[in-house]
Short mmCIF file of all heavy atoms in Angstrom, two decimals:
data_model
loop_
_atom_site.label_atom_id
_atom_site.label_comp_id
_atom_site.label_asym_id
_atom_site.label_seq_id
_atom_site.Cartn_x
_atom_site.Cartn_y
_atom_site.Cartn_z
N ARG D 110 129.74 47.72 95.02
CA ARG D 110 129.85 46.28 95.25
C ARG D 110 131.03 45.95 96.15
O ARG D 110 130.93 45.10 97.06
CB ARG D 110 129.97 45.55 93.92
CG ARG D 110 130.16 44.03 94.03
CD ARG D 110 128.92 43.34 94.62
NE ARG D 110 129.15 41.94 94.89
CZ ARG D 110 128.89 40.94 94.01
NH1 ARG D 110 128.43 41.24 92.81
NH2 ARG D 110 129.09 39.69 94.35
N ALA D 111 132.13 46.66 95.98
CA ALA D 111 133.32 46.41 96.83
C ALA D 111 133.00 46.78 98.28
O ALA D 111 133.44 46.11 99.22
CB ALA D 111 134.50 47.23 96.31
N ILE D 112 132.22 47.83 98.48
CA ILE D 112 131.82 48.24 99.84
C ILE D 112 130.91 47.16 100.44
O ILE D 112 131.07 46.76 101.61
CB ILE D 112 131.11 49.61 99.80
CG1 ILE D 112 132.09 50.70 99.32
CG2 ILE D 112 130.52 49.96 101.15
CD1 ILE D 112 131.42 52.01 98.91
N LEU D 113 129.99 46.64 99.60
CA LEU D 113 129.11 45.55 100.08
C LEU D 113 129.94 44.34 100.46
O LEU D 113 129.78 43.76 101.54
CB LEU D 113 128.11 45.19 98.98
CG LEU D 113 127.08 44.10 99.24
CD1 LEU D 113 125.86 44.27 98.33
CD2 LEU D 113 127.62 42.68 99.10
N ASP D 114 130.86 43.96 99.58
CA ASP D 114 131.66 42.75 99.84
C ASP D 114 132.57 42.92 101.06
O ASP D 114 132.81 41.99 101.81
CB ASP D 114 132.52 42.42 98.60
CG ASP D 114 131.68 41.90 97.44
OD1 ASP D 114 130.54 41.44 97.67
OD2 ASP D 114 132.16 41.96 96.28
N ASP D 115 133.06 44.16 101.26
CA ASP D 115 133.93 44.40 102.42
C ASP D 115 133.12 44.22 103.71
O ASP D 115 133.61 43.68 104.69
CB ASP D 115 134.49 45.82 102.33
CG ASP D 115 135.34 46.18 103.55
OD1 ASP D 115 136.53 45.79 103.58
OD2 ASP D 115 134.79 46.80 104.49
N GLY D 116 131.90 44.71 103.69
CA GLY D 116 130.94 44.40 104.77
C GLY D 116 131.02 45.26 106.01
O GLY D 116 130.10 45.24 106.85
N ARG D 117 132.07 46.06 106.20
CA ARG D 117 132.15 46.85 107.45
C ARG D 117 131.21 48.05 107.40
O ARG D 117 130.70 48.47 108.44
CB ARG D 117 133.59 47.32 107.68
CG ARG D 117 134.49 46.23 108.20
CD ARG D 117 135.93 46.71 108.26
NE ARG D 117 136.47 46.86 106.90
CZ ARG D 117 137.73 47.27 106.68
NH1 ARG D 117 138.52 47.58 107.69
NH2 ARG D 117 138.20 47.38 105.44
N HIS D 118 131.04 48.63 106.22
CA HIS D 118 130.18 49.82 106.10
C HIS D 118 129.16 49.60 105.00
O HIS D 118 129.29 48.66 104.20
CB HIS D 118 131.04 51.04 105.77
CG HIS D 118 132.16 51.26 106.75
ND1 HIS D 118 131.95 51.46 108.10
CD2 HIS D 118 133.51 51.27 106.59
CE1 HIS D 118 133.11 51.60 108.71
NE2 HIS D 118 134.08 51.48 107.83
N VAL D 119 128.18 50.48 104.94
CA VAL D 119 127.22 50.43 103.82
C VAL D 119 127.47 51.59 102.87
O VAL D 119 127.43 51.44 101.66
CB VAL D 119 125.76 50.49 104.34
CG1 VAL D 119 124.78 50.66 103.17
CG2 VAL D 119 125.43 49.24 105.13
N PHE D 120 127.79 52.79 103.42
CA PHE D 120 127.73 54.01 102.62
C PHE D 120 129.03 54.81 102.79
O PHE D 120 129.35 55.21 103.91
CB PHE D 120 126.54 54.85 103.13
CG PHE D 120 125.98 55.85 102.15
CD1 PHE D 120 124.75 56.44 102.41
CD2 PHE D 120 126.64 56.22 100.99
CE1 PHE D 120 124.19 57.38 101.52
CE2 PHE D 120 126.10 57.14 100.12
CZ PHE D 120 124.87 57.72 100.39
N LEU D 121 129.76 55.02 101.73
CA LEU D 121 130.97 55.85 101.75
C LEU D 121 130.76 57.03 100.81
O LEU D 121 130.02 56.94 99.84
CB LEU D 121 132.20 55.05 101.33
CG LEU D 121 132.56 53.83 102.18
CD1 LEU D 121 133.83 53.16 101.64
CD2 LEU D 121 132.75 54.21 103.65
N ALA D 122 131.45 58.16 101.06
CA ALA D 122 131.24 59.34 100.22
C ALA D 122 132.54 60.07 99.95
O ALA D 122 133.49 59.99 100.75
CB ALA D 122 130.25 60.29 100.89
N GLY D 123 132.58 60.78 98.82
CA GLY D 123 133.63 61.75 98.55
C GLY D 123 135.04 61.17 98.53
O GLY D 123 135.28 60.06 98.05
N LYS D 124 135.96 61.94 99.11
CA LYS D 124 137.38 61.57 99.05
C LYS D 124 137.64 60.22 99.71
O LYS D 124 138.48 59.43 99.25
CB LYS D 124 138.23 62.65 99.73
CG LYS D 124 138.32 63.98 98.96
CD LYS D 124 139.35 64.92 99.62
CE LYS D 124 139.57 66.19 98.80
NZ LYS D 124 138.30 66.93 98.61
N GLY D 125 136.92 59.95 100.77
CA GLY D 125 137.10 58.67 101.45
C GLY D 125 136.73 57.51 100.54
O GLY D 125 137.42 56.48 100.49
N ALA D 126 135.64 57.69 99.81
CA ALA D 126 135.20 56.64 98.88
C ALA D 126 136.23 56.45 97.76
O ALA D 126 136.56 55.32 97.38
CB ALA D 126 133.85 57.00 98.29
N ASP D 127 136.77 57.56 97.28
CA ASP D 127 137.82 57.47 96.24
C ASP D 127 139.05 56.73 96.78
O ASP D 127 139.66 55.92 96.08
CB ASP D 127 138.21 58.88 95.78
CG ASP D 127 137.14 59.55 94.91
OD1 ASP D 127 136.25 58.83 94.39
OD2 ASP D 127 137.17 60.78 94.78
N ALA D 128 139.39 57.00 98.05
CA ALA D 128 140.57 56.33 98.64
C ALA D 128 140.30 54.83 98.80
O ALA D 128 141.16 53.99 98.49
CB ALA D 128 140.88 56.96 100.01
N PHE D 129 139.10 54.49 99.25
CA PHE D 129 138.72 53.07 99.40
C PHE D 129 138.85 52.38 98.04
O PHE D 129 139.36 51.26 97.94
CB PHE D 129 137.29 52.98 99.91
CG PHE D 129 136.77 51.58 100.13
CD1 PHE D 129 136.90 50.94 101.36
CD2 PHE D 129 136.12 50.88 99.11
CE1 PHE D 129 136.42 49.65 101.56
CE2 PHE D 129 135.64 49.59 99.30
CZ PHE D 129 135.79 48.98 100.53
N SER D 130 138.40 53.05 97.00
CA SER D 130 138.45 52.47 95.64
C SER D 130 139.89 52.20 95.23
O SER D 130 140.22 51.12 94.73
CB SER D 130 137.80 53.45 94.65
OG SER D 130 137.94 52.98 93.33
N ARG D 131 140.77 53.16 95.49
CA ARG D 131 142.19 52.96 95.13
C ARG D 131 142.79 51.84 95.96
O ARG D 131 143.50 50.97 95.45
CB ARG D 131 142.97 54.27 95.34
CG ARG D 131 142.65 55.37 94.35
CD ARG D 131 143.67 56.50 94.42
NE ARG D 131 143.71 57.10 95.76
CZ ARG D 131 142.89 58.07 96.16
NH1 ARG D 131 141.95 58.53 95.33
NH2 ARG D 131 142.96 58.58 97.39
N ASP D 132 142.44 51.83 97.27
CA ASP D 132 142.96 50.77 98.14
C ASP D 132 142.56 49.39 97.62
O ASP D 132 143.29 48.42 97.75
CB ASP D 132 142.39 50.91 99.57
CG ASP D 132 142.99 52.11 100.30
OD1 ASP D 132 143.93 52.72 99.75
OD2 ASP D 132 142.48 52.45 101.38
N ARG D 133 141.36 49.29 97.05
CA ARG D 133 140.87 48.00 96.55
C ARG D 133 141.35 47.71 95.13
O ARG D 133 140.97 46.70 94.55
CB ARG D 133 139.32 47.97 96.58
CG ARG D 133 138.73 47.94 97.97
CD ARG D 133 139.12 46.71 98.71
NE ARG D 133 138.69 46.66 100.10
CZ ARG D 133 139.10 47.44 101.08
NH1 ARG D 133 139.91 48.44 100.80
NH2 ARG D 133 138.72 47.27 102.32
N GLY D 134 142.11 48.66 94.58
CA GLY D 134 142.66 48.41 93.24
C GLY D 134 141.62 48.43 92.14
O GLY D 134 141.77 47.80 91.09
N LEU D 135 140.52 49.18 92.37
CA LEU D 135 139.48 49.23 91.33
C LEU D 135 139.96 50.10 90.18
O LEU D 135 140.69 51.08 90.38
CB LEU D 135 138.18 49.81 91.92
CG LEU D 135 137.55 49.01 93.06
CD1 LEU D 135 136.24 49.68 93.50
CD2 LEU D 135 137.31 47.57 92.67
N PRO D 136 139.54 49.79 88.95
CA PRO D 136 139.96 50.60 87.79
C PRO D 136 139.53 52.06 87.97
O PRO D 136 138.38 52.35 88.28
CB PRO D 136 139.22 49.96 86.61
CG PRO D 136 138.96 48.56 87.06
CD PRO D 136 138.73 48.63 88.53
N GLN D 137 140.52 52.97 87.81
CA GLN D 137 140.26 54.41 87.96
C GLN D 137 140.09 55.04 86.58
O GLN D 137 140.50 54.47 85.57
CB GLN D 137 141.43 55.06 88.70
CG GLN D 137 141.75 54.43 90.06
CD GLN D 137 140.64 54.59 91.08
OE1 GLN D 137 140.32 55.70 91.48
NE2 GLN D 137 140.04 53.49 91.51
N ALA D 138 139.47 56.21 86.54
CA ALA D 138 139.31 56.94 85.27
C ALA D 138 139.34 58.43 85.58
O ALA D 138 138.93 58.85 86.67
CB ALA D 138 137.99 56.56 84.61
N ASP D 139 139.84 59.21 84.61
CA ASP D 139 139.88 60.65 84.88
C ASP D 139 138.64 61.31 84.28
O ASP D 139 137.85 60.67 83.59
CB ASP D 139 141.17 61.27 84.32
CG ASP D 139 141.25 61.09 82.81
OD1 ASP D 139 140.19 60.84 82.18
OD2 ASP D 139 142.36 61.18 82.25
N ALA D 140 138.52 62.61 84.51
CA ALA D 140 137.30 63.32 84.10
C ALA D 140 137.07 63.22 82.59
O ALA D 140 135.93 63.17 82.14
CB ALA D 140 137.39 64.79 84.52
N ASP D 141 138.16 63.12 81.84
CA ASP D 141 137.99 63.05 80.38
C ASP D 141 137.26 61.78 79.97
O ASP D 141 136.58 61.75 78.94
CB ASP D 141 139.35 63.11 79.68
CG ASP D 141 139.91 64.54 79.71
OD1 ASP D 141 139.10 65.45 80.01
OD2 ASP D 141 141.11 64.71 79.47
N TRP D 142 137.41 60.71 80.78
CA TRP D 142 136.69 59.48 80.43
C TRP D 142 135.19 59.69 80.62
O TRP D 142 134.37 59.31 79.79
CB TRP D 142 137.17 58.30 81.27
CG TRP D 142 136.18 57.16 81.29
CD1 TRP D 142 135.31 56.83 82.29
CD2 TRP D 142 135.92 56.24 80.23
NE1 TRP D 142 134.54 55.74 81.92
CE2 TRP D 142 134.88 55.36 80.67
CE3 TRP D 142 136.43 56.06 78.94
CZ2 TRP D 142 134.38 54.33 79.87
CZ3 TRP D 142 135.93 55.03 78.14
CH2 TRP D 142 134.93 54.18 78.62
#
Side-chain angles (χ1 to χ4, degrees):
Chain D
R110 177 66 187 268
I112 296 166
L113 181 156
D114 289 340
D115 177 81
R117 283 173 290 180
H118 305 301
V119 171
F120 202 167
L121 300 181
K124 289 188 174 59
D127 287 342
F129 181 91
S130 175
R131 289 193 301 275
D132 289 352
R133 291 297 175 294
L135 298 182
Q137 305 294 296
D139 61 19
D141 285 345
W142 161 257

